[in-house]
Amino acid sequence: MNSKQTGPQDESFQTGMQIRRGMFGPAGADERYAQTTDFNRPFEEVVTRYCFGDTWSRPGLDRKTRSLITLAALTAMVRPNQVRVHVRGALANGATPEEIREVLLHTAVYAGVPAGVEAFTAAAEVLKEVGAK
Amino acid sequence: MNSKQTGPQDESFQTGMQIRRGMFGPAGADERYAQTTDFNRPFEEVVTRYCFGDTWSRPGLDRKTRSLITLAALTAMVRPNQVRVHVRGALANGATPEEIREVLLHTAVYAGVPAGVEAFTAAAEVLKEVGAK
Amino acid sequence: MNSKQTGPQDESFQTGMQIRRGMFGPAGADERYAQTTDFNRPFEEVVTRYCFGDTWSRPGLDRKTRSLITLAALTAMVRPNQVRVHVRGALANGATPEEIREVLLHTAVYAGVPAGVEAFTAAAEVLKEVGAK
Amino acid sequence: MNSKQTGPQDESFQTGMQIRRGMFGPAGADERYAQTTDFNRPFEEVVTRYCFGDTWSRPGLDRKTRSLITLAALTAMVRPNQVRVHVRGALANGATPEEIREVLLHTAVYAGVPAGVEAFTAAAEVLKEVGAK
Amino acid sequence: MNSKQTGPQDESFQTGMQIRRGMFGPAGADERYAQTTDFNRPFEEVVTRYCFGDTWSRPGLDRKTRSLITLAALTAMVRPNQVRVHVRGALANGATPEEIREVLLHTAVYAGVPAGVEAFTAAAEVLKEVGAK
Amino acid sequence: MNSKQTGPQDESFQTGMQIRRGMFGPAGADERYAQTTDFNRPFEEVVTRYCFGDTWSRPGLDRKTRSLITLAALTAMVRPNQVRVHVRGALANGATPEEIREVLLHTAVYAGVPAGVEAFTAAAEVLKEVGAK
């Protein structure tokens, strides 16, 4: 954590990068930022600052609950690439595979069977990769 | 609760109706079912049985957490009519206005500003109606 | 039908207007077009020509089946205003309330419970207005 | 059909599995269920029981019409993976490539050109695989 | 403009409030913020700071072009309430009714006829209210 | 351009094919049409005629602005395959990578972070392929 930092030094960015590191490891945080180009760097900064630095850091809901509602939103909007990312984040935030399953099952009622199929397929791949029981 | 029951007597339906009563009161449960017609009765039965009876009743996530992920999914899909319904349900399941606010704020990051506007408008109306602080 | 015609005289437009008249009556066809302004006239012409004149007129599926798939698509995308319009069109094309109910019930499996709620609410209003049994 | 059965023995599940077999063959029914894990088994059971067992089995619309409205809904929601699955199902239920084309063309009017592109690409792949003329 | 200011004094918020004032007048900026409650104030601050203060203020696209792409996005996602708001904003940013019409017509090709109907209905109401020619 | 023409000879089709050629080269226009089958030819003709021939050709917005609003709509609806196609088209119509970046950044505010991620990933691939600076 006290290794050399990349990116802007303002507080929101630094908080956001720290949360990303905790959820996705260096590969999903500093390393990802280090690979940005002029084209996508402003967007990565917005995501880091606004999404992780200003929102995920808020009190009022713990990180595990934030992971569960994020998975519900991503399942509902049918974003399998992001479901993959946030299944890892949810495990890092202390959610169990059983809780993730319940979020997907529950959300599929509201978003329809195909939304459930996409989310379960994406999540099962990640759980297999990480060797979750 | 020991008043005369309406609707099918199978276990999923009865469990679902009981959960609906607990979250939305008689007006959103038995009375709503009593007013169904041949046109919409099969759908109300599906909702009661599959959504509430078989899904909301599952172990693995408590009811308050199920309310929060439901609100996340409804905010993400921009369903303000259902946000209204489930803000009431979330309060009945023990969620605070602050927790509801955090779910909507958090989900708006993933679903965009207009999705947030619709959900906050709908939720604020209900909170005002019920006199939530 | 041999009253004064409004709008462009090309074949696609005339065919489209005739199909709109058959499904929605004069109020949803010529009268609607007569009330267009410079702002929305090009769009009404596109809808009449491309949607009704070139697509609804195609062989390969009968009009009733086209009504049923239109209702499925509108239910799936959660467009209650258009569900209202096309429930009338479906009845004009020979669909029964029972068939409309089955389309909505079936589609709700794929689009989720809130999509079903919106479509059933919209369709029930129209069926009541037209006195469908 | 009298081979060893997998999965729950309740009527909805058995009916659903039979319909899945008829539409997608053993690979999309019993074999798929046999490969489920604790993570996705409850979802597969919901799909089999609620979607196929309780909904596809209903009277009021024949199976071919149910296939066509399913394809309309999937095209409208832009679910190309599920379009692939249900093009096979539609052929098994007696729909012709021409009818499938008309459903996609018609739905693209309501869902936009990119929705049409995704559905036509997915459906054309399947039709080529199965050698449909 | 030199009247008493409300809200946080950081630069992003102040820039955002100034842009909101310019596009929507005091009623859509300071007055709206003054009416916020504990429930929706954090969201209004996010919108003001992130959406208007940090994004609309960027160089690289002029304000009129930003209005046109905003209307395209809102038409595509079928957000008629926000179309109403941003038709006013687009006029304030120098877009003509003809340009707004072209954005809606063009986007309807990509988002489908019902998306176009919702956007044209919403936009026509605003243009009538403001007496746009 | 004076090579042998394929496809229908009506004016809308020919205009549409010419615009497609200008934006996507022969591979995305005549060659694509030449490879159509009975299954997807009617759809390709609709796209060429209605989308490109009748809409992109309209006065009122220049081609570059049409490319920008198209990218906004596609980002908002999360259609990465089509974002890829239209980043090429936007470059052909004179948009710079910086303008494309601003459209995606701006639209992500309205469509949410995951929509932005998908669009930036798709667009960055194309910009790298074409060697855009």
Side-chain angles (χ1 to χ4, degrees), chain D residues 19 21 26 36 58 63 68 77 79 87 90 95 100 109-110 130:
Chain D
I19 293 177
R21 246 178 249 129
T36 54
R58 287 177 62 88
R63 296 278 163 85
L68 299 182
M77 296 189 294
R79 306 280 184 269
V87 166
I100 293 170
V109 175
Y110 292 90
V130 302

Side-chain angles (χ1 to χ4, degrees), chain C residues 56 58 70 102 106 110, chain D residues 56 58 66 70 102 106 110:
Chain C
W56 277 82
R58 288 177 62 89
T70 303
E102 290 303 314
H106 189 102
Y110 292 91
Chain D
W56 276 82
R58 287 177 62 88
R66 288 188 184 273
T70 303
E102 292 303 314
H106 188 101
Y110 292 90

Side-chain angles (χ1 to χ4, degrees), chain A residues 8 10 12-13 16-17 20 33 36 40-56, chain B residues 109, chain E residues 49-51 54-55 58, chain F residues 101-102 104-106 108-109 112-113 116-117 120:
Chain A
D10 63 90
S12 287
F13 184 87
M17 199 53 91
R20 293 183 79 166
Y33 185 76
T36 55
N40 62 5
R41 190 171 308 114
F43 181 64
E44 279 293 312
E45 293 181 0
V46 162
V47 172
T48 303
R49 188 178 281 121
Y50 163 53
C51 172
F52 290 97
D54 292 347
T55 307
W56 276 82
Chain B
V109 175
Chain E
R49 187 178 283 121
Y50 164 53
C51 171
D54 292 347
T55 307
R58 287 178 62 89
Chain F
R101 180 187 70 198
E102 291 302 314
L104 270 50
L105 255 179
H106 188 101
V109 175
V113 162
V117 171
F120 268 103

Side-chain angles (χ1 to χ4, degrees), chain A residues 56 58 70 102 106 110, chain B residues 56 58 66 70 102 106 110:
Chain A
W56 276 82
R58 288 177 62 89
T70 303
E102 291 303 313
H106 188 103
Y110 292 91
Chain B
W56 276 82
R58 287 177 63 89
R66 289 189 183 272
T70 303
E102 291 304 313
H106 188 101
Y110 292 91

Side-chain angles (χ1 to χ4, degrees), chain E residues 50-52 55-56 58-61 65-70 72-74 76-77 79 82 86 98-99 101-111 113, chain F residues 50-52 55-56 58-61 65-70 72-74 76-77 79 82 86 98-99 101-111 113:
Chain E
Y50 164 53
C51 171
F52 290 97
T55 307
W56 277 83
R58 287 178 62 89
L61 287 178
T65 303
R66 287 187 185 273
S67 276
L68 299 182
I69 63 173
T70 303
L74 295 171
M77 297 189 294
R79 305 280 184 270
Q82 295 281 306
H86 278 282
E98 285 72 21
E99 287 169 321
R101 180 187 70 200
E102 291 303 313
V103 170
L104 270 51
L105 256 179
H106 188 102
T107 305
V109 174
Y110 291 90
V113 162
Chain F
Y50 162 53
C51 172
F52 290 97
T55 307
W56 277 83
R58 289 177 61 89
L61 287 178
T65 303
R66 288 187 184 274
S67 276
L68 300 182
I69 63 174
T70 303
L74 295 170
M77 296 189 295
R79 305 280 184 267
Q82 294 282 307
H86 278 282
E98 286 71 21
E99 288 170 320
R101 180 187 70 198
E102 291 302 314
V103 169
L104 270 50
L105 255 179
H106 188 101
T107 305
V109 175
Y110 292 91
V113 162

